[in-house]
Amino acid sequence: MKSGTELRDNQRELYRFRVRLALAAGFVLLAFTLLATRLFYLQVMQHEHFHTLAENNRISIVPIVPNRGLILDRNGVPLAHNYSAYTLEITPSKVDGLEKTINELAGILEITPRDRRRFKKLLEESKNFESLPIRSRLSEVEVAKFAVNRYRFPGVEIKARLFRHYPHLDLFSHVVGHIGRISDRDMEKLEENDLLANYRGTDHIGKQGLEQSYEKHLHGTTGFEQVETDAGGRAVRTLARTPPISGNTLYLSIDSKLQALAIKAFGKYRGALVAIEPKSGEILAFVSQPGFDPNLFVDGIDTANWEAYNNSLDKPLNNRALRGQYPPGSTFKPFMALAALELNKRSPSYTISDPGYYMLPGSSHHYRDWKPGGHGTVDLHKSIVISCDTYYYGLAVDMGIDNITSFMSHFGFGRKTGIDIEGEQVGVLPSQAWKMKRFKQKWYTGDTVSVGIGQGYNLSTPLQLAVATAALANNGQLMRPHMVRSILDSKTGQTTILAPETTDSMPLRKENLDRVIAAMVDVTRPGGTAAQASAGAEYMIAGKTGTAQVVGMKQGQKYVESQVSERHRDHALFIAFAPADNPRIALAILVENGGHGGSIAAPIARKVMDYYLLGKLPKDETVTDTAEPGAEHD
């Protein structure tokens, strides 16, 4: 057995130790190098990126919704304004058990089934991290009640919000329109027009009327606040603030007192009235009767009110002045007479012998005059004063439909007037091409006969009739009607007045225009169809009555108003301007199923003109009470 002491090789162990130390040092150095590299990458190369992320976590951008612009009448009377009120709001993403929370809230504050339905609808349309109102317009007592119980409801808070209000209820509903909550369709439009950023935080947008057509002026510019938040997302302090810019203020040309008087004059009747300043095209009154309460639409109309409006036979949501299309009836005759003179189809001395009807050559069909037995010998002047149908049957055939269409188009018939609210209808100014396109049928001479008295295919809106009447008063100058007179810029404080705009101009011979206007003046004098309604006027009125058939009559059948149901009775119309020698107001009135223009529509016009020109208020309240016994027709 081999024995002995093994000697240690110090040199070799030292070498191994140094190698291990070098490897360890190298590893540590490598590790520190990697850490330093990573640190350099994060701190230097990615500095901007991570700085932004950190700032975003620390800073929130909160939009500040601007005050919506006001809408005032020509005398500064508010027709639409804002007021501040408390709302109870829930942020669904911060609430555990939404239904349970609402039920517990109902224990301390009144929350109606309608509030719940509206909140549910908002929830479906919104992102769950948005704050949504469950109750609005809280009283001071209700605010205090919630404040005491605030600790029980995380994710629920009270905020102060601005609300839109229409103080005159249905008086201007078809003029001002209303706002409503922004829908998905509205969002798409805002995105298409690159306006989404300016609507951050905004819940409402113009839906109808001037609220819709002047949205870009009324909304204003959204402001922003940079708010520092803690780890829990709670605001700590405000770092910067860009204030919002309120919407601009609209001053309308409409006179609110005139509007109220006109609506009152309609009494129980349905219909429309449009009054215009002839030289400027400014709308003075714009009535569609009945109207509706626009306040009900601001936060979403409830089912009961919606069904009541939507199912009503009176159609209060229908803007009759803008969208109602009616036969103009005999109010079309002054324009036909002027066309006959301008186109040399009739001379002032040309007469017919009216037997009470008109027959086309080779036909046995009788086109009846409103007066059985006829008017005897009738010239152009008399044809307007007593509204002879027979005269215009023959005149229309002699002129031909193409001449009628061409001439009437210059007065705005059959096309949009360009008024500054949306939704206007164009009416129908018939022609051969129109009938072929619409019915795939050729035009017959019999079609032309009815067009001559404003019946047949003829359809006009009350707005078109008023604009055409204003053009007659304005020597053939067709003005673009507009409701906004001026706009006050909330940022600069400057007021921009909207200049009158001529949309068509027809060179008319003065002697021809004077003849037609003279006949229209005699319509309102003894012997004329509007004499009773115009009696005692302190100014000269040029007018024309009209009666438009609602249902057709068989050959030989006699129209007896008392035997026809109320909604099948004739419409009553009246167009007028005054003073006739220096017109300051032109208007058109349609009373649905009113019967006779002279006894129903003309008295309304008289009240409107008396107030506008003389400041006189009517002695009674409704046209029903004051209507004078009128002519049997027209």
Side-chain angles (χ1 to χ4, degrees):
M1 178 176 177
K2 187 178 179 180
S3 64
T5 302
E6 187 177 351
L7 295 177
R8 298 180 59 181
D9 188 345
N10 291 333
Q11 289 298 323
R12 187 174 179 179
E13 288 186 1
L14 181 62
Y15 173 75
R16 286 178 180 173
F17 173 77
R18 286 176 175 170
V19 169
R20 290 172 183 167
L21 182 62
L23 287 174
F27 177 77
V28 171
L29 182 62
L30 178 61
F32 273 101
T33 301
L34 290 174
L35 285 174
T37 303
R38 184 61 179 169
L39 186 64
F40 177 79
Y41 174 78
L42 295 176
Q43 291 292 326
V44 179
M45 297 184 69
Q46 292 293 312
H47 174 267
E48 289 298 325
H49 173 69
F50 288 105
H51 177 75
T52 303
L53 290 179
E55 287 297 296
N56 286 343
N57 286 334
R58 187 177 67 92
I59 299 173
S60 295
I61 305 298
V62 180
I64 308 173
V65 179
N67 293 346
R68 194 170 177 83
L70 306 180
I71 301 178
L72 313 175
D73 86 336
R74 66 188 297 134
N75 299 311
V77 176
L79 309 184
H81 64 88
N82 312 307
Y83 71 95
S84 179
Y86 292 113
T87 63
L88 182 68
E89 303 199 2
I90 300 175
T91 305
S93 62
K94 298 181 179 177
V95 172
D96 293 330
L98 189 58
E99 196 64 30
K100 180 186 173 187
T101 300
I102 294 174
N103 290 336
E104 290 179 358
L105 283 170
I108 59 172
L109 299 174
E110 182 185 8
I111 296 178
T112 64
R114 184 194 172 197
D115 294 327
R116 291 174 184 262
R117 288 195 298 272
R118 189 177 57 193
F119 181 80
K120 186 178 179 183
K121 186 178 178 183
L122 292 176
L123 191 62
E124 292 170 354
E125 297 172 350
S126 307
K127 298 172 182 175
N128 66 353
F129 53 79
E130 291 180 352
S131 178
L132 304 174
I134 179 90
R135 258 294 312 278
S136 55
R137 302 173 181 85
L138 297 178
S139 66
E140 295 291 339
V141 173
E142 288 175 316
V143 172
K145 278 185 180 179
F146 177 77
V148 172
N149 294 276
R150 171 72 179 82
Y151 69 95
R152 294 170 50 197
F153 300 101
V156 182
E157 56 188 334
I158 286 180
K159 291 184 177 179
R161 289 200 180 214
L162 284 178
F163 290 87
R164 197 66 160 171
H165 185 59
Y166 305 99
H168 301 279
L169 306 180
D170 60 348
L171 207 60
F172 298 93
S173 54
H174 291 292
V175 175
V176 174
H178 61 83
I179 63 170
R181 291 193 67 84
I182 296 177
S183 65
D184 291 340
R185 189 176 177 186
D186 295 324
M187 292 293 284
E188 290 173 5
K189 285 185 178 178
L190 291 172
E191 189 169 10
E192 288 172 6
N193 296 314
D194 199 22
L195 293 172
L196 268 183
N198 196 38
Y199 276 78
R200 282 192 61 191
T202 300
D203 297 324
H204 295 81
I205 195 169
K207 295 286 188 178
Q208 279 191 358
L210 295 173
E211 290 277 29
Q212 178 188 33
S213 54
Y214 282 86
E215 173 65 27
K216 67 177 182 181
H217 289 283
L218 292 168
H219 179 263
T221 304
T222 299
F224 293 95
E225 215 170 43
Q226 283 187 330
V227 179
E228 187 176 13
T229 58
D230 61 16
R234 291 179 289 272
V236 176
R237 59 174 175 155
T238 300
L239 301 176
R241 188 174 192 273
T242 303
I245 300 173
S246 300
N248 298 330
T249 298
L250 305 183
Y251 283 90
L252 308 189
S253 54
I254 284 182
D255 184 327
S256 58
K257 289 184 178 178
L258 189 72
Q259 176 92 355
L261 181 145
I263 288 179
K264 204 170 185 180
F266 267 85
K268 67 177 182 180
Y269 288 105
R270 304 174 303 278
L273 176 149
V274 179
I276 299 177
E277 187 180 79
K279 286 184 170 56
S280 65
E282 290 183 356
I283 301 286
L284 303 172
F286 191 90
V287 171
S288 178
Q289 186 69 358
F292 59 90
D293 183 357
N295 294 298
L296 297 175
F297 289 83
V298 173
D299 289 329
I301 189 169
D302 62 281
T303 305
N305 279 313
W306 171 252
E307 288 182 351
Y309 279 143
N310 204 37
N311 298 330
S312 170
L313 290 177
D314 292 339
K315 307 288 183 191
L317 300 178
N318 181 26
N319 190 333
R320 288 171 164 83
L322 190 71
R323 300 180 59 80
Q325 300 182 96
Y326 308 87
S330 294
T331 60
F332 203 58
K333 290 173 182 172
F335 303 97
M336 285 289 294
L338 186 59
L341 294 172
E342 287 291 322
L343 301 176
N344 297 317
K345 295 293 182 180
R346 290 288 185 273
S347 67
S349 59
Y350 177 88
T351 61
I352 66 162
S353 180
D354 174 21
Y357 58 86
Y358 174 82
M359 293 175 63
L360 283 169
S363 170
S364 60
H365 184 83
H366 285 198
Y367 294 90
R368 294 171 301 177
D369 194 282
W370 67 267
K371 183 179 181 182
H375 299 277
T377 302
V378 179
D379 62 9
L380 185 136
H381 184 90
K382 185 178 177 182
S383 73
I384 295 175
V385 175
I386 48 90
S387 196
C388 176
D389 293 333
T390 307
Y391 186 94
Y392 289 94
Y393 289 142
L395 172 60
V397 172
D398 289 349
M399 286 181 61
I401 189 62
D402 290 338
N403 282 330
I404 295 173
T405 304
S406 174
F407 187 88
M408 296 303 173
S409 66
H410 291 293
F411 282 90
F413 292 106
R415 59 189 169 107
K416 292 185 178 181
T417 65
I419 193 171
D420 50 350
I421 56 175
E422 298 181 19
E424 181 181 8
Q425 289 288 343
V426 296
V428 176
L429 179 59
S431 65
Q432 296 188 61
W434 172 84
K435 188 179 179 185
M436 181 57 70
K437 183 178 179 182
R438 177 70 177 80
F439 296 108
K440 310 296 182 193
Q441 294 176 4
K442 70 175 185 179
W443 188 268
Y444 296 102
T445 305
D447 297 329
T448 308
V449 176
S450 298
V451 169
I453 62 165
Q455 292 281 168
Y457 295 117
N458 249 340
L459 290 175
S460 299
T461 66
L463 173 64
Q464 283 177 325
L465 264 184
V467 170
T469 305
L472 209 56
N474 200 30
N475 300 318
Q477 298 281 319
L478 193 72
M479 307 303 293
R480 178 175 175 264
H482 57 99
M483 297 191 182
V484 175
R485 195 180 197 190
S486 61
I487 300 174
L488 173 63
D489 191 308
S490 63
K491 184 177 181 182
T492 64
Q494 294 182 339
T495 297
T496 303
I497 297 174
L498 304 186
E501 181 183 347
T502 303
T503 57
D504 206 335
S505 180
M506 191 171 191
L508 299 171
R509 282 175 280 178
K510 186 176 184 306
E511 63 269 25
N512 292 338
L513 191 59
D514 288 347
R515 287 184 192 282
V516 171
I517 293 175
M520 292 177 70
V521 169
D522 281 350
V523 167
T524 66
R525 288 174 171 169
T529 53
Q532 290 172 323
S534 308
E538 299 174 34
Y539 48 89
M540 193 160 56
I541 304 170
K544 182 69 192 80
T545 56
T547 302
Q549 284 185 328
V550 175
V551 293
M553 304 292 291
K554 296 178 181 177
Q555 188 80 68
Q557 185 180 2
K558 187 178 180 182
Y559 175 82
V560 181
E561 186 176 280
S562 60
Q563 297 177 0
V564 180
S565 64
E566 191 270 336
R567 291 183 187 272
H568 287 163
R569 292 175 186 167
D570 295 343
H571 297 323
L573 296 108
F574 188 60
I575 61 170
F577 56 86
D581 52 350
N582 182 27
R584 292 169 49 201
I585 182 173
L587 48 79
I589 300 171
L590 176 131
V591 181
E592 281 189 3
N593 312 117
H596 307 143
S599 58
I600 299 299
I604 298 175
R606 175 68 187 279
K607 291 177 180 178
V608 170
M609 290 187 289
D610 273 0
Y611 179 77
Y612 186 72
L613 298 174
L614 306 174
K616 289 175 63 175
L617 290 170
K619 296 177 182 177
D620 42 25
E621 293 190 354
T622 69
V623 67
T624 306
D625 301 325
T626 60
E628 299 284 350
E632 290 183 351
H633 207 278
D634 268 353

